[in-house]
């Protein structure tokens, strides 16, 4: 395993901690629901509890995937042409006059890759069911995200074979929808900014950025980096409020063609 794969694995593990806690609670609920006074002991562990468990796993991991790829400009595997910002990489959408904004299809593929990698980690809690006498087999996972105007539909093929004693159940088709999330709007905004800025990469049009923020109803923060001609665009979309406490952030980087200067303030002064 190379460093990139190890880093990506660690990232996925961190993002789904909350998902694992949630599905563990749900799993325990289904395992212990009912009372021995009302049901035979053999029926306390209802095999149908697996589907709600997997449904919650898919829902939670899909939501975390959206947050993660938003911070990484629509990517799970961030391209080499990127900037390291704090603890994660941000893809470069504009490199002077060159433009690299991903298509909706690329973002869908990246979402699918994230979810496919993260689900088996979430399924580690199958060990609890196995300890209760179940045999669980997991086949090849296939994820098909579809980005819509205000949501993302996630269709998943998760071949599961569940056995206990003489009973066998098979599951495969699962789905969930993540909403509200306006990825097409954020990609369109990113394209507008890059198209405008790439016309004259020797300067930053701050007025243009403000106008785009008003046009799309978002907040745009332009973040300086240690390199005076490289900036991070951080877009906060209050409409994409996936949780009550957090809204979606979408980030990308831009590399300008500033004149020779020692720092950002000096660059701005020379451009005035």
């Amino acid at each position: 395993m190379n460093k990139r794969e190890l880093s990506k694995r660690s990232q996925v593990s961190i993002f789904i901690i909350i998902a694992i806690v949630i599905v563990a609670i749900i799993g325990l609920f289904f395992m212990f629901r009912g009372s021995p006074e009302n049901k035979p002991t053999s029926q306390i562990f209802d095999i149908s509890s697996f589907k709600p468990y997997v449904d919650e796993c898919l829902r939670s991991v899909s939501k975390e995937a959206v947050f993660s790829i938003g911070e990484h400009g629509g990517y799970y595997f961030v391209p080499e042409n990127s900037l390291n910002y704090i603890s994660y990489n941000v893809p470069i959408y504009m490199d002077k006059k060159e433009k690299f904004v991903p298509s909706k299809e690329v973002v869908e593929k990246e979402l699918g890759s994230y979810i496919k990698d993260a689900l088996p980690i979430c399924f580690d809690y199958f060990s609890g069911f196995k300890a209760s006498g179940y045999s669980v087999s997991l086949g090849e996972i296939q994820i098909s995200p579809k980005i819509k105007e205000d949501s993302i539909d996630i269709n998943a093929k998760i071949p599961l074979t569940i056995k206990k004693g003489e009973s066998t159940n098979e599951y495969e088709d699962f789905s969930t929808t993540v909403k509200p999330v306006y990825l097409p709007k954020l990609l369109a905004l990113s394209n507008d900014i890059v198209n405008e800025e790439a016309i004259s990469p020797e300067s930053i049009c701050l007025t243009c950025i403000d106008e785009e923020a008003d046009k799309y109803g978002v907040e745009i923060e332009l973040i300086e980096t240690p390199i005076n001609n490289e900036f991070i665009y951080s877009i906060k979309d209050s409409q994409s409020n996936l949780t009550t406490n957090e809204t979606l952030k979408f980030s990308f980087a831009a590399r300008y063609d500033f004149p020779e200067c020692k720092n950002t303030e000096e660059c701005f002064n020379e451009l005035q």
Side-chain angles (χ1 to χ4, degrees):
M1 177 180 293
N2 59 39
K3 290 183 179 179
R4 182 185 183 189
E5 291 172 339
L6 180 61
S7 174
K8 188 60 65 177
R9 188 72 171 178
S10 299
Q11 173 190 319
V12 171
S13 300
I14 292 171
F15 273 117
I16 67 169
I17 288 175
I18 296 176
I20 289 178
V21 172
I22 294 173
V23 299
I25 293 172
I26 291 176
L28 289 172
F29 168 77
F30 280 106
M31 287 173 65
F32 293 103
R33 69 177 179 174
S35 168
E37 298 176 0
N38 300 324
K39 296 182 180 181
T41 302
S42 60
Q43 295 183 7
I44 292 176
F45 302 106
D46 188 352
I47 202 168
S48 66
S49 65
F50 279 94
K51 189 175 189 310
Y53 176 90
V54 177
D55 284 337
E56 180 59 25
C57 240
L58 178 62
R59 186 193 69 80
S60 299
V61 168
S62 296
K63 184 177 290 186
E64 292 299 338
V66 174
F67 274 117
S68 178
I69 68 135
E71 290 182 338
H72 296 84
Y75 287 98
Y76 172 42
F77 296 107
V78 179
E80 291 185 7
N81 191 23
S82 62
L83 299 184
N84 184 269
Y85 176 64
I86 305 179
S87 60
Y88 59 92
N89 291 330
V90 181
I92 293 177
Y93 279 10
M94 185 193 91
D95 192 345
K96 299 178 182 177
K97 287 185 176 292
E98 293 187 272
K99 296 173 282 188
F100 305 96
V101 182
S103 66
K104 182 180 72 172
E105 290 73 23
V106 167
V107 178
E108 288 175 340
K109 183 179 179 180
E110 295 293 312
L111 272 170
S113 295
Y114 183 108
I115 297 168
K116 181 179 179 180
D117 282 356
L119 277 176
I121 303 174
C122 191
F123 292 160
D124 281 348
Y125 270 82
F126 277 151
S127 59
F129 293 110
K130 292 176 182 178
S132 300
Y134 290 97
S135 171
V136 184
S137 302
L138 175 63
E140 178 69 20
I141 299 174
Q142 299 178 34
I143 307 295
S144 301
K146 186 67 175 177
I147 296 175
K148 296 185 175 181
E149 181 181 357
D150 64 348
S151 62
I152 304 172
D153 290 340
I154 310 292
N155 292 308
K157 295 284 186 182
I158 309 174
L160 283 167
T161 301
I162 318 297
K163 294 182 181 181
K164 185 175 184 181
E166 300 297 320
S167 177
T168 300
N169 281 45
E170 294 183 348
Y171 302 95
E172 183 175 59
D173 295 320
F174 297 87
S175 64
T176 190
T177 297
V178 181
K179 65 181 304 183
V181 56
Y182 293 82
L183 276 180
K185 176 180 75 173
L186 296 175
L187 288 172
L189 167 59
S190 301
N191 266 302
D192 284 356
I193 292 174
V194 168
N195 288 335
E196 179 68 34
E197 295 297 295
I199 294 173
S200 181
E202 298 82 11
S203 63
I204 299 177
C205 181
L206 298 178
T207 303
C208 300
I209 296 171
D210 288 339
E211 290 174 352
E212 292 292 346
D214 291 339
K215 174 182 174 182
Y216 285 91
V218 300
E219 297 177 24
I220 302 176
E221 181 181 6
L222 192 61
I223 304 170
E224 295 183 29
T225 72
I227 308 299
N228 65 58
N229 67 332
E230 296 178 347
F231 293 82
I232 305 291
Y233 282 84
S234 179
I235 304 169
K236 185 177 180 180
D237 179 26
S238 59
Q239 286 187 306
S240 299
N241 53 336
L242 297 177
T243 70
T244 55
N245 299 320
E246 190 172 6
T247 58
L248 183 66
K249 291 183 180 179
F250 195 87
S251 302
F252 67 87
R255 179 178 291 129
Y256 287 82
D257 191 17
F258 286 170
E260 291 294 329
C261 45
K262 297 178 181 179
N263 54 57
T264 302
E265 182 178 359
E266 183 179 322
C267 289
F268 276 117
N269 290 335
E270 289 192 22
L271 292 169
Q272 290 178 353

